[in-house]
Amino acid sequence: YILYPEELFQLVKKWSAKFLEVHVHHDVSESKGEDDSGAQTCTVDEASGTCQTAEEHVDEEGIEDHMAIAAQYYRKAAEEHKSARANFNLGFMHEWGLGLTQDFPLAKRHYDLAGEEASIASSIALWAMSIHQRMVKITMLLDSDYGAE
C-alpha cells in the first residue's frame, strides 16, 4: 500500500464521509426511536464497485499488520535508496500512528527528508501536522481535565 501525497485528500474525504454516515445515521435512528440493530449497512468498495457488509471488512489487527510491513519496506527504501516518497509515507505513518507509534518529532524528520525532493507536499504535510499535533494536545488536555471527574 503506497500513500501518495495527492491521494491524501481523497482518503480524508472518504474517511470523513464514512464517519459522518455512521454517526449521523446512528444519531437520527436514536432520535426517531428506531432500532437499527437488524439493519444491514453497506459500504461501496470503489476499487471493485461492489457492496461490502460490516462483517466483510478487514479487522483492525490485519490492517495494523499490513501497515507495519509497509513501514518496514518504506524504511528500507528510505535508508537504502534515499526515497523521498518513502520518507513522506513514513512521516505520514508516524504522524497518524499507522502501523508505527505516533511520534510527531520523527514524523517531522521524515517530512523534512522528503522535502529535499518534494518540497510542496512536505510543506503542506508539515503545516497540517502542526494543526494535528495541536489538536492532539488539546484533546489530551481536555481528557485530563474533564476525564478525572
Side-chain angles (χ1 to χ4, degrees), residues 108-124:
K108 182 184 182 319
R109 176 176 165 235
H110 284 291
Y111 283 142
D112 287 338
L113 290 170
E116 295 170 3
E117 291 181 32
S119 61
I120 293 174
S122 292
S123 297
I124 292 170

mmCIF file of all heavy atoms in Angstrom, residues 108-124:
data_model
loop_
_atom_site.group_PDB
_atom_site.id
_atom_site.type_symbol
_atom_site.label_atom_id
_atom_site.label_comp_id
_atom_site.label_asym_id
_atom_site.label_seq_id
_atom_site.Cartn_x
_atom_site.Cartn_y
_atom_site.Cartn_z
ATOM 1 N N LYS A 108 8.116 14.681 11.647
ATOM 2 C CA LYS A 108 8.703 15.908 11.105
ATOM 3 C C LYS A 108 10.038 15.615 10.438
ATOM 4 O O LYS A 108 10.346 16.138 9.363
ATOM 5 C CB LYS A 108 8.874 16.962 12.194
ATOM 6 C CG LYS A 108 9.431 18.267 11.651
ATOM 7 C CD LYS A 108 9.691 19.258 12.755
ATOM 8 C CE LYS A 108 10.199 20.586 12.251
ATOM 9 N NZ LYS A 108 11.160 20.586 11.197
ATOM 10 N N ARG A 109 10.831 14.770 11.054
ATOM 11 C CA ARG A 109 12.136 14.411 10.483
ATOM 12 C C ARG A 109 11.959 13.776 9.101
ATOM 13 O O ARG A 109 12.659 14.126 8.148
ATOM 14 C CB ARG A 109 12.866 13.441 11.410
ATOM 15 C CG ARG A 109 14.168 12.960 10.855
ATOM 16 C CD ARG A 109 14.895 12.085 11.863
ATOM 17 N NE ARG A 109 15.935 11.375 11.181
ATOM 18 C CZ ARG A 109 16.070 10.062 11.184
ATOM 19 N NH1 ARG A 109 15.246 9.308 11.868
ATOM 20 N NH2 ARG A 109 17.040 9.482 10.530
ATOM 21 N N HIS A 110 11.016 12.846 8.987
ATOM 22 C CA HIS A 110 10.797 12.186 7.695
ATOM 23 C C HIS A 110 10.222 13.151 6.668
ATOM 24 O O HIS A 110 10.598 13.112 5.489
ATOM 25 C CB HIS A 110 9.894 10.960 7.855
ATOM 26 C CG HIS A 110 10.601 9.787 8.451
ATOM 27 N ND1 HIS A 110 11.578 9.095 7.789
ATOM 28 C CD2 HIS A 110 10.482 9.192 9.665
ATOM 29 C CE1 HIS A 110 12.026 8.116 8.556
ATOM 30 N NE2 HIS A 110 11.375 8.162 9.700
ATOM 31 N N TYR A 111 9.317 14.035 7.094
ATOM 32 C CA TYR A 111 8.788 15.037 6.161
ATOM 33 C C TYR A 111 9.905 15.962 5.680
ATOM 34 O O TYR A 111 9.957 16.335 4.511
ATOM 35 C CB TYR A 111 7.687 15.869 6.815
ATOM 36 C CG TYR A 111 6.343 15.172 6.912
ATOM 37 C CD1 TYR A 111 5.535 15.342 8.031
ATOM 38 C CD2 TYR A 111 5.854 14.379 5.881
ATOM 39 C CE1 TYR A 111 4.296 14.739 8.125
ATOM 40 C CE2 TYR A 111 4.621 13.761 5.967
ATOM 41 C CZ TYR A 111 3.841 13.949 7.099
ATOM 42 O OH TYR A 111 2.609 13.355 7.175
ATOM 43 N N ASP A 112 10.812 16.332 6.592
ATOM 44 C CA ASP A 112 11.942 17.190 6.202
ATOM 45 C C ASP A 112 12.847 16.479 5.198
ATOM 46 O O ASP A 112 13.321 17.089 4.234
ATOM 47 C CB ASP A 112 12.749 17.628 7.419
ATOM 48 C CG ASP A 112 12.033 18.664 8.260
ATOM 49 O OD1 ASP A 112 11.139 19.358 7.721
ATOM 50 O OD2 ASP A 112 12.373 18.798 9.459
ATOM 51 N N LEU A 113 13.114 15.198 5.426
ATOM 52 C CA LEU A 113 13.935 14.432 4.492
ATOM 53 C C LEU A 113 13.254 14.316 3.134
ATOM 54 O O LEU A 113 13.913 14.376 2.094
ATOM 55 C CB LEU A 113 14.240 13.037 5.051
ATOM 56 C CG LEU A 113 15.204 12.988 6.242
ATOM 57 C CD1 LEU A 113 15.230 11.586 6.847
ATOM 58 C CD2 LEU A 113 16.598 13.409 5.812
ATOM 59 N N ALA A 114 11.939 14.157 3.140
ATOM 60 C CA ALA A 114 11.203 14.077 1.877
ATOM 61 C C ALA A 114 11.167 15.433 1.187
ATOM 62 O O ALA A 114 11.097 15.506 -0.038
ATOM 63 C CB ALA A 114 9.782 13.588 2.124
ATOM 64 N N GLY A 115 11.251 16.491 1.960
ATOM 65 C CA GLY A 115 11.160 17.838 1.414
ATOM 66 C C GLY A 115 12.299 18.222 0.511
ATOM 67 O O GLY A 115 12.186 19.192 -0.249
ATOM 68 N N GLU A 116 13.392 17.485 0.552
ATOM 69 C CA GLU A 116 14.515 17.780 -0.330
ATOM 70 C C GLU A 116 14.122 17.602 -1.793
ATOM 71 O O GLU A 116 14.638 18.283 -2.666
ATOM 72 C CB GLU A 116 15.701 16.881 0.026
ATOM 73 C CG GLU A 116 16.259 17.158 1.411
ATOM 74 C CD GLU A 116 17.268 16.117 1.855
ATOM 75 O OE1 GLU A 116 17.582 15.203 1.069
ATOM 76 O OE2 GLU A 116 17.735 16.219 2.997
ATOM 77 N N GLU A 117 13.186 16.666 -2.060
ATOM 78 C CA GLU A 117 12.742 16.431 -3.432
ATOM 79 C C GLU A 117 11.285 16.843 -3.655
ATOM 80 O O GLU A 117 10.926 17.232 -4.751
ATOM 81 C CB GLU A 117 12.886 14.944 -3.783
ATOM 82 C CG GLU A 117 14.321 14.491 -3.903
ATOM 83 C CD GLU A 117 14.410 13.018 -4.281
ATOM 84 O OE1 GLU A 117 13.513 12.542 -4.996
ATOM 85 O OE2 GLU A 117 15.356 12.371 -3.844
ATOM 86 N N ALA A 118 10.478 16.736 -2.637
ATOM 87 C CA ALA A 118 9.043 17.037 -2.755
ATOM 88 C C ALA A 118 8.694 18.154 -1.778
ATOM 89 O O ALA A 118 7.983 17.939 -0.803
ATOM 90 C CB ALA A 118 8.231 15.788 -2.466
ATOM 91 N N SER A 119 9.196 19.338 -2.047
ATOM 92 C CA SER A 119 9.076 20.413 -1.067
ATOM 93 C C SER A 119 7.644 20.888 -0.849
ATOM 94 O O SER A 119 7.256 21.183 0.274
ATOM 95 C CB SER A 119 9.958 21.587 -1.469
ATOM 96 O OG SER A 119 9.543 22.096 -2.718
ATOM 97 N N ILE A 120 6.833 20.968 -1.892
ATOM 98 C CA ILE A 120 5.465 21.459 -1.720
ATOM 99 C C ILE A 120 4.640 20.475 -0.895
ATOM 100 O O ILE A 120 3.955 20.876 0.049
ATOM 101 C CB ILE A 120 4.798 21.719 -3.091
ATOM 102 C CG1 ILE A 120 5.509 22.883 -3.779
ATOM 103 C CG2 ILE A 120 3.319 22.013 -2.927
ATOM 104 C CD1 ILE A 120 5.034 23.144 -5.184
ATOM 105 N N ALA A 121 4.711 19.201 -1.233
ATOM 106 C CA ALA A 121 3.952 18.190 -0.493
ATOM 107 C C ALA A 121 4.400 18.137 0.961
ATOM 108 O O ALA A 121 3.575 18.053 1.873
ATOM 109 C CB ALA A 121 4.107 16.826 -1.146
ATOM 110 N N SER A 122 5.697 18.218 1.186
ATOM 111 C CA SER A 122 6.209 18.174 2.554
ATOM 112 C C SER A 122 5.823 19.421 3.331
ATOM 113 O O SER A 122 5.503 19.345 4.515
ATOM 114 C CB SER A 122 7.726 18.014 2.554
ATOM 115 O OG SER A 122 8.064 16.746 2.074
ATOM 116 N N SER A 123 5.841 20.568 2.674
ATOM 117 C CA SER A 123 5.446 21.810 3.352
ATOM 118 C C SER A 123 3.988 21.747 3.781
ATOM 119 O O SER A 123 3.641 22.129 4.900
ATOM 120 C CB SER A 123 5.654 23.014 2.438
ATOM 121 O OG SER A 123 7.013 23.158 2.129
ATOM 122 N N ILE A 124 3.131 21.254 2.900
ATOM 123 C CA ILE A 124 1.713 21.120 3.237
ATOM 124 C C ILE A 124 1.533 20.104 4.369
ATOM 125 O O ILE A 124 0.768 20.330 5.300
ATOM 126 C CB ILE A 124 0.896 20.711 1.996
ATOM 127 C CG1 ILE A 124 0.894 21.859 0.985
ATOM 128 C CG2 ILE A 124 -0.525 20.310 2.375
ATOM 129 C CD1 ILE A 124 0.330 21.498 -0.369
#
